Amino acid sequence: MVLPGSLLGSGSLRECIRGLRLLFPGTISTIVAHQSHQTRLLFTSLTATAARNRGSDDAKTSVTIQGYFSGKERNKDAFMVACDVFRDKGPHLRGHVEFIYAALKNMEEFGVHKDLEVYKKLLELMPKGKMIPTNIFQVEFMHYPKQQQCAIDCLEQMEMNGVIPDTEMEQILVNAFGKQGHPVRKFGRMMYWMPKFKNASPWPLPNVIPSDAFKLAQLAVARMCSVDPASTITVFQTSDVEDAIDDTWVVSGQSPTQQRLIKEHPTDQPFKVEGPFRIFLRDRCVGYFILRAEATPQPQPVKREQVDDVGSLKFWFTGEVEPDEETRVGQPLSVHEQDDGTIMAICATGTSSRDSLLSWIRLLQNTNPNLENIPVLFTQASPIGEVMTTEYQPTDSSLQVAPS
């Protein structure tokens, strides 16, 4: 059969196929459908094969990457050596995202989760120049999203651990993702807020929190006593008390106002030693105790004195007799007198035992003579569980009176 001249003279393959469909509608449609079906089957087979290969490669990569952090030494030097070994294995750094995530997971175990130099070492593993966006669409649609999200997660872990980045880290991010990349935006937000929050606390702590319990107790008691600038911190030794069982230290805090309250306290109303309670110094926890008295009722307000007796005047709006108004304010309560009780002193001991608290009360009697005449009760229940030792706790009562 001879095809029309318009089809033979056309240079477009699409027009030729359209002409063949007009001449042989059923045959051409069947051939096209068959070819499409074969193409879909081939694409599905290739996709499944690629997924299986990728899964096996990911498993091998995961096992291989975990081997970098399986050494016996757990310190900064071993961590840095693992990063150097991964960097020197080849120019392409295949699996760098998986390596960075594995490193972030093991940083706390190596004790480098608050080290800025280590975070720089990890971000330097990102390829340079290849992932920089070249147009606005790549910028907004997150060019190389897997790598950018990995860098953002690294910055977020820095933020959670209080590590403030510097200009060198900004240059590392710009070399990898460009000035408009999402990690660079995250860096800008961190540099704006983190320095503000770092100096916002009225109780600054050293950069490295001491691990010694005695120094932690001093920091904790000094922070709690800062509500009264006149408070003094005193360190006692229980060995100075006769018949003391525990040989430990006691960090006590008390102000002259609290000493005056103890002096004026009635001798028939007991004090209570309560605790331990928790106070956190970053990631360190310290247990402390308080010497508390029951809340005292506030004094009645002073009524107005009648200077000119003109009888009972009625209020012009309601027509009722005006009540007496207060003209003078009563004596204000101190900062130690709260609604639930009055705090007389606080302390932290080395053992948090009953005997160390008893020694603390006896040592307080040197500066508070009236404390010898006031009964002191030790509560059994603790708001944070069984923290105190139980050798000296009776079982028949929930309170014990300290001997004077």
Side-chain angles (χ1 to χ4, degrees):
M1 173 177 280
V2 181
L3 295 175
S6 60
L7 294 178
L8 293 175
S10 174
S12 175
L13 179 61
R14 185 179 300 175
E15 294 181 359
C16 293
I17 295 176
R18 187 183 298 112
L20 290 174
R21 284 180 175 176
L22 293 175
L23 295 176
F24 310 100
T27 304
I28 296 299
S29 300
T30 303
I31 293 174
V32 173
H34 179 70
Q35 292 295 331
S36 300
H37 180 66
Q38 293 295 330
T39 303
R40 285 195 297 269
L41 290 178
L42 179 61
F43 179 76
T44 304
S45 177
L46 292 175
T47 303
T49 304
R52 287 194 298 270
N53 294 336
R54 184 170 61 252
S56 60
D57 292 343
D58 291 344
K60 295 178 182 178
T61 303
S62 177
V63 173
T64 304
I65 289 175
Q66 291 298 330
Y68 288 101
F69 306 101
S70 60
K72 295 182 179 180
E73 296 184 0
R74 300 292 182 180
N75 50 32
K76 180 180 178 180
D77 294 335
F79 195 92
M80 300 294 279
V81 168
C83 295
D84 293 334
V85 171
F86 178 81
R87 183 191 59 189
D88 298 338
K89 76 172 187 177
H92 300 292
L93 294 178
R94 182 176 180 271
H96 60 277
V97 173
E98 290 79 7
F99 178 83
I100 293 176
Y101 276 120
L104 293 175
K105 184 178 179 181
N106 292 277
M107 288 184 74
E108 188 171 359
E109 184 178 354
F110 281 79
V112 295
H113 57 289
K114 294 186 178 182
D115 196 327
L116 178 60
E117 183 182 357
V118 176
Y119 288 103
K120 293 179 184 178
K121 193 78 171 180
L122 292 178
L123 291 176
E124 284 179 351
L125 299 177
M126 291 287 183
K128 306 297 187 296
K130 181 180 180 181
M131 298 180 293
I132 297 178
T134 57
N135 54 62
I136 189 174
F137 297 102
Q138 291 181 350
V139 170
E140 296 302 329
F141 286 96
M142 209 171 185
H143 196 45
Y144 285 89
K146 186 177 181 181
Q147 285 76 8
Q148 290 203 46
Q149 187 60 46
C150 178
I152 292 174
D153 292 340
C154 184
L155 293 174
E156 286 184 353
Q157 182 163 328
M158 291 176 56
E159 187 176 5
M160 293 298 295
N161 291 313
V163 181
I164 300 179
D166 57 1
T167 55
E168 183 181 356
M169 177 164 287
E170 179 186 13
Q171 191 62 39
I172 295 174
L173 295 173
V174 170
N175 293 337
F177 305 103
K179 294 183 178 181
Q180 301 298 328
H182 289 268
V184 180
R185 300 182 188 180
K186 173 68 176 177
F187 169 85
R189 294 192 294 269
M190 291 174 61
M191 288 299 292
Y192 179 81
W193 288 109
M194 293 187 70
K196 296 179 182 294
F197 292 143
K198 179 182 179 181
N199 302 318
S201 176
W203 303 285
L205 293 173
N207 294 330
V208 179
I209 298 296
S211 58
D212 184 30
F214 175 68
K215 295 181 179 179
L216 287 174
Q218 286 182 315
L219 291 173
V221 174
R223 168 177 288 193
M224 291 182 289
C225 289
S226 62
V227 296
D228 191 344
S231 300
T232 57
I233 309 300
T234 308
V235 178
F236 299 118
Q237 295 293 331
T238 57
S239 58
D240 298 337
V241 180
E242 296 181 0
D243 301 332
I245 300 176
D246 290 350
D247 186 7
T248 183
W249 46 263
V250 178
V251 180
S252 176
Q254 194 179 41
S255 68
T257 303
Q258 291 172 313
Q259 295 178 358
R260 177 181 58 81
L261 292 174
I262 293 178
K263 182 179 180 180
E264 298 174 355
H265 189 78
T267 57
D268 57 342
Q269 297 182 10
F271 288 146
K272 293 182 180 180
V273 176
E274 299 179 347
F277 303 96
R278 284 195 183 112
I279 179 173
F280 282 89
L281 304 176
R282 290 191 188 145
D283 55 345
R284 303 298 175 88
C285 178
V286 179
Y288 68 94
F289 299 85
I290 62 173
L291 179 64
R292 186 180 69 87
E294 295 296 334
T296 57
Q298 295 186 1
Q300 295 294 330
V302 180
K303 299 300 181 179
R304 180 181 59 183
E305 297 180 359
Q306 297 290 341
V307 180
D308 297 327
D309 187 7
V310 294
S312 298
L313 299 179
K314 296 183 178 180
F315 189 49
W316 67 272
F317 187 76
T318 60
E320 299 178 357
V321 178
E322 295 185 15
D324 294 337
E325 298 180 358
E326 304 174 4
T327 57
R328 289 183 294 176
V329 181
Q331 183 180 1
L333 301 178
S334 64
V335 69
H336 308 286
E337 300 175 80
Q338 302 296 325
D339 294 337
D340 57 343
T342 303
I343 309 299
M344 299 299 181
I346 61 174
C347 80
T349 71
T351 59
S352 297
S353 63
R354 182 62 52 80
D355 185 74
S356 63
L357 296 176
L358 181 58
S359 300
W360 173 52
I361 296 299
R362 290 181 176 177
L363 291 169
L364 283 179
Q365 293 176 358
N366 297 330
T367 55
N368 302 273
N370 193 33
L371 194 59
E372 299 179 1
N373 305 321
I374 301 175
V376 179
L377 307 179
F378 291 83
T379 58
Q380 293 283 345
S382 171
I384 60 175
E386 295 295 335
V387 178
M388 294 182 292
T389 57
T390 58
E391 301 89 65
Y392 318 111
Q393 296 183 7
T395 58
D396 55 347
S397 176
S398 62
L399 297 176
Q400 179 183 357
V401 180
S404 57

